[in-house]
Amino acid sequence: MSPAMMVASLCGIGRLRPAPGTWGSAVVLPAALLGPGPCLALGIAFSLAGLWAVSRLPEAREDPGWVVADEAAGQCLALAALPAGASLWWVLLAFALFRAADIVKPGPVGWADRRGGVLGVMLDDVLAGILAAAVLGLLRSLGGFA
């Protein structure tokens, strides 16, 4: 497996069935234990690594299911909205909100998905992660964190 393929598929996680995007999101959930700063850094790192990988794999530019570096990036961005020590329920809520935004593709997420190409492959999941983080931030401001 080429280095670009390893990055794009998260070392083969993207080949798991069913629902490779869900597996790609789930594999990074333990990062929540690191706290918001490291999750943000990981989200940026996965985004940059994913852009690099997809740009080197012509077959990845149509966003096949096995490309899950984008899901890892978006999920880490969603997790960055959680405080260190957030309960498992909040981590699962971050997961559910991100996956919902990634699947339903509301507003700017859908726009980014329709762009296609290298940027479109990555951007829709990054925006889904940011959207999930915004919802989590709103819930947090309403005093919902336990």
Side-chain angles (χ1 to χ4, degrees):
M1 187 181 296
S2 73
M5 184 70 74
M6 288 182 69
V7 170
S9 70
L10 294 181
C11 297
I13 298 285
R15 301 288 184 189
L16 295 175
R17 298 290 179 260
T22 299
W23 288 108
S25 299
V27 74
V28 299
L29 291 178
L33 297 171
L34 302 173
C39 284
L40 178 59
L42 280 170
I44 292 168
F46 278 122
S47 296
L48 295 174
L51 284 169
W52 170 82
V54 172
S55 73
R56 278 152 183 75
L57 297 167
E59 66 273 25
R61 295 180 191 157
E62 298 302 316
D63 203 6
W66 56 264
V67 174
V68 293
D70 51 341
E71 272 84 11
Q75 185 64 70
C76 284
L77 294 175
L79 293 173
L82 299 178
S87 73
L88 177 61
W89 294 111
W90 285 98
V91 173
L92 293 176
L93 180 59
F95 176 75
L97 288 169
F98 169 70
R99 290 304 299 146
D102 185 28
I103 292 166
V104 174
K105 300 196 183 309
V109 180
W111 169 83
D113 185 59
R114 290 186 298 276
R115 290 183 52 89
V118 175
L119 187 59
V121 170
M122 296 301 299
L123 188 58
D124 68 314
D125 293 280
V126 166
L127 292 175
I130 292 169
L131 182 62
V135 171
L136 290 165
L138 177 64
L139 291 172
R140 186 176 182 190
S141 72
L142 296 172
F145 266 91

